[in-house]
Amino acid sequence: MLRRTIDILGDFFVFTGQTFYWMTRGVTHRKNWRLLTPQLYEVGYKSLPVIMITGAFVGMVIAVQAVEQFRAIGMEERMGSIVNLSVVRELGPVLAGIMLAGRIGGALTAELGTMNVTEQIDALRSMGVNPIRYLVAPRVLACFFLTPALTLFADFTGAMGGWFVSVILEGIAPGPYWDYTQQAVTTFDLYSGIIKSFFFGAALGLISCYSGFYCKPGAEGVGRACTAAFVTSFIVILALDFMLAQVLQDIQTAFFGFQSLL
Amino acid sequence: MRVAKKTDNRPLIELRNVSKRFGALQVLDGVDLSLRRGETTVVIGESGTGKSVLLKHIIGLLRPDSGEIWFDGQRIDTLNEQSLVPIRRRMGFLFQMAALFDSMTVGENVGFPLTEHSGLKPAQIDEIVAEKMKMVGLTGLQDRTPGQISGGQKKRVALARAIALDPEVVFYDEPTTGLDPVRADVINEMILKLKRELQVTGIVVTHDMVSAFKVGDRIVMLNKGRIIADAVPDWFRTCDDPRVRRFVDGRADKEDLRALEVG
Ligand SMILES: Nc1ncnc2c1ncn2[C@@H]1O[C@H](COP(=O)(O)OP(=O)(O)O)[C@@H](O)[C@H]1O
Ligand SMILES: [Mg+2]
């Protein structure tokens, strides 16, 4: 069991290394660019609606939860700070990452898994084409760059969702709502959310492609790989979030000192 | 056009004591095999004896646990993927399940090796694709997707793709399995034609004995990871080794039937 886990981790790191090698080579070789465009469309454009809906609901839910508490202490005008900070710094990136692990990761694992069990990956190799360069690098690259881009959209609709509940439904004055938001949410908060989402994108892309690339034979193998890839991506995103939150918090405190939200 | 060196007697492909196991399953167990230029060698054997595994070793898709594989005077089982590219360009592989790329049209599939390796312009590639499609008798199907053609057509498209770069060696993994006898014979004729006209060295894995006798210059029988017979086709018609007879005549023996009774 332990031996197997170590073997899989070893394979995964080799796979990651090769993917990064071909990702960097890919940028410099024009021939590889045409492989990237369909992936950008698939990962980016097609995920946009679902990401924006996710963001909007996150913002609305936090606002619904927060409004009672803030009202009880008579500080509902300050709500914008906590709602928007949560969206931009934590929930936007994490939930967008998890949403993409399902939406994109599932599709990637199923696609590469099917190619694996029907010998299409072997066929590529037999024709002297490196499948990591041809299949994996453009897909991981698309996840790496588009997860942060999509997170920005989730942040935006999240802020709109929070505003809708707080200002439109709960009648909080918009002026103070945005003033307190501006005070609380710094550029660093926005960056730290985006920095995290680069990691989430790389993780979900690599895990999903790896799972498909090495899945067991048959339709059953592909199905299992999809489930395993999603569960793994999910856990890894949460674990990365925990570690990065810690690191980014330390950096922020070191550079800007402690800031109270209230 | 390539010049076939008829006088060259060195084997083009050589396996020396090749063994391979997957977990507890010993699939190849000390296989020695030499393949001569311009000949078609047929590999027969029951399902699951490792025929596909044998082919995949020669093109470097699998690595032996022990033993050596040589191609045209060069040891290839130790080469990395990058160094195998020039060797693989001299080989074409027809996969058992065709392995066409679902995301591409039939024409793009056939043209794929050219797009990747030849540096030709799209119009020139289209011309070669049309020529290869004509060779396999599927003119005009270029714009279909693999999902829109029949199983037999897929195999023929896969063959067109395998010969797109005019390879010296073509591996045919069960080229006639699942085809009706007429379609199967079309494939047999194609294998013969490639040998005759382009001096292709062929390796045909099959359990279709009609096909084996028709296309083979030589037949090799694999059983439980070892080569148990290696001779000209006529020898297989008369030999009296029970394991060979049973397979060639397609007769189940007492042991096979006992399993049926118990089951
Ligand atoms: N990549 C692999 N991993 C594990 N087992 C394999 C692999 N490839 C083939 N096998 C096993 O090796 C045996 C021989 O397979 P194969 O060469 O496909 O048989 P066939 O003679 O029918 O072509 C089978 O039992 C198969 O399950
Ligand atoms: Mg086989």
Side-chain angles (χ1 to χ4, degrees), chain B residues 18-204:
Chain B
V18 169
S19 294
K20 177 73 177 177
R21 64 160 63 227
F22 293 112
L25 184 70
Q26 187 76 46
V27 180
L28 299 179
D29 189 7
V31 171
D32 288 301
L33 185 62
S34 304
L35 303 169
R36 282 179 293 274
R37 241 175 254 274
E39 265 190 14
T40 301
T41 305
V42 174
V43 180
I44 59 172
E46 289 167 28
S47 292
T49 45
K51 303 184 297 294
S52 298
V53 168
L54 182 75
L55 288 192
K56 286 181 183 172
H57 273 84
I58 306 177
I59 198 164
L61 292 175
L62 292 171
R63 307 282 171 155
D65 296 333
S66 62
E68 298 175 3
I69 296 159
W70 292 71
F71 177 75
D72 201 12
Q74 186 183 7
R75 182 164 177 193
I76 60 169
D77 60 288
T78 48
L79 295 181
N80 63 27
E81 288 280 309
Q82 205 57 39
S83 324
L84 276 169
V85 171
I87 295 190
R88 285 174 172 163
R89 285 183 56 175
R90 298 167 63 187
M91 302 174 166
F93 201 117
L94 172 59
F95 283 84
Q96 196 168 341
M97 295 180 288
L100 297 179
F101 302 123
D102 299 319
S103 57
M104 299 179 193
T105 64
V106 163
E108 287 165 348
N109 263 284
V110 176
F112 182 79
L114 297 157
T115 314
E116 285 298 315
H117 292 301
S118 69
L120 295 174
K121 294 200 190 71
Q124 294 170 302
I125 291 177
D126 287 347
E127 219 167 276
I128 300 175
V129 168
E131 177 201 322
K132 301 295 175 190
M133 288 294 280
K134 186 167 168 235
M135 269 189 89
V136 299
L138 291 175
T139 298
L141 292 190
Q142 281 92 318
D143 291 331
R144 306 261 184 103
T145 63
Q148 294 168 331
I149 58 177
S150 74
Q153 288 174 329
K154 276 188 200 166
K155 278 213 163 134
R156 286 192 276 163
V157 172
L159 181 56
R161 184 178 69 179
I163 59 175
L165 286 172
D166 296 324
E168 293 161 55
V169 186
V170 179
F171 301 89
Y172 308 88
D173 196 348
E174 306 205 10
T176 59
T177 304
L179 301 188
D180 65 64
V182 178
R183 293 268 145 54
D185 203 49
V186 172
I187 299 268
N188 292 338
E189 289 296 344
M190 218 126 60
I191 296 171
L192 289 171
K193 184 169 153 186
L194 284 172
K195 182 180 81 164
R196 206 168 47 231
E197 293 176 6
L198 303 174
Q199 287 80 42
V200 164
T201 306
I203 304 158
V204 184

Side-chain angles (χ1 to χ4, degrees), chain A:
Chain A
M1 180 62 200
L2 183 66
R3 181 82 214 270
R4 235 185 88 70
T5 312
I6 292 171
D7 282 351
I8 291 178
L9 274 181
D11 287 350
F12 180 74
F13 285 123
V14 171
F15 181 84
T16 302
Q18 288 176 342
T19 305
F20 276 104
Y21 171 77
W22 286 110
M23 268 163 59
T24 47
R25 291 280 299 262
V27 181
T28 52
H29 281 241
R30 204 184 195 100
K31 161 173 140 179
N32 294 328
W33 291 3
R34 80 192 145 84
L35 300 173
L36 188 62
T37 8
Q39 298 310 323
L40 293 178
Y41 175 76
E42 195 64 36
V43 172
Y45 183 72
K46 283 189 163 178
S47 308
L48 205 49
V50 84
I51 279 297
M52 291 177 65
I53 291 169
T54 309
F57 276 102
V58 169
M60 292 197 291
V61 168
I62 305 172
V64 166
Q65 302 271 307
V67 70
E68 296 287 307
Q69 296 292 327
F70 277 80
R71 197 162 269 156
I73 49 170
M75 295 213 263
E76 65 262 41
E77 291 193 331
R78 292 178 174 238
M79 249 185 80
S81 59
I82 198 81
V83 169
N84 288 307
L85 192 63
S86 314
V87 165
V88 166
R89 186 132 184 193
E90 273 308 315
L91 292 166
V94 171
L95 288 174
I98 287 171
M99 188 68 227
L100 290 176
R103 162 72 181 71
I104 306 299
L108 289 182
T109 311
E111 186 189 13
L112 294 190
T114 306
M115 292 190 76
N116 179 24
V117 302
T118 56
E119 298 182 313
Q120 291 176 50
I121 292 182
D122 275 348
L124 275 177
R125 292 174 61 203
S126 80
M127 288 184 267
V129 173
N130 186 312
I132 303 236
R133 168 182 83 77
Y134 193 82
L135 296 173
V136 178
R139 283 167 175 74
V140 174
L141 205 59
C143 291
F144 182 72
F145 282 117
L146 291 180
T147 304
L150 289 163
T151 300
L152 281 175
F153 281 94
D155 287 351
F156 175 73
T157 55
M160 288 299 108
W163 164 82
F164 177 74
V165 169
S166 315
V167 176
I168 306 290
L169 297 186
E170 298 291 340
I172 293 165
Y177 181 85
W178 290 119
D179 282 346
Y180 280 111
T181 297
Q182 212 166 29
Q183 254 176 46
V185 184
T186 61
T187 329
F188 185 87
D189 294 312
L190 187 63
Y191 283 159
S192 70
I194 298 304
I195 288 169
K196 282 184 194 175
S197 57
F198 274 107
F199 283 85
F200 298 163
L204 76 91
L206 283 166
I207 291 169
S208 308
C209 287
Y210 174 85
S211 307
F213 211 74
Y214 291 108
C215 77
K216 297 252 153 58
E220 199 193 332
V222 179
R224 273 168 203 263
C226 288
T227 314
F230 178 65
V231 173
T232 312
S233 299
F234 195 126
I235 305 273
V236 168
I237 286 174
L238 293 179
L240 279 174
D241 185 47
F242 171 70
M243 291 186 284
L244 291 168
Q246 201 94 35
V247 171
L248 290 164
Q249 190 69 59
D250 288 349
I251 293 176
Q252 188 172 26
T253 313
F255 279 89
F256 305 100
F258 172 74
Q259 283 169 322
S260 171
L261 286 181
L262 297 174

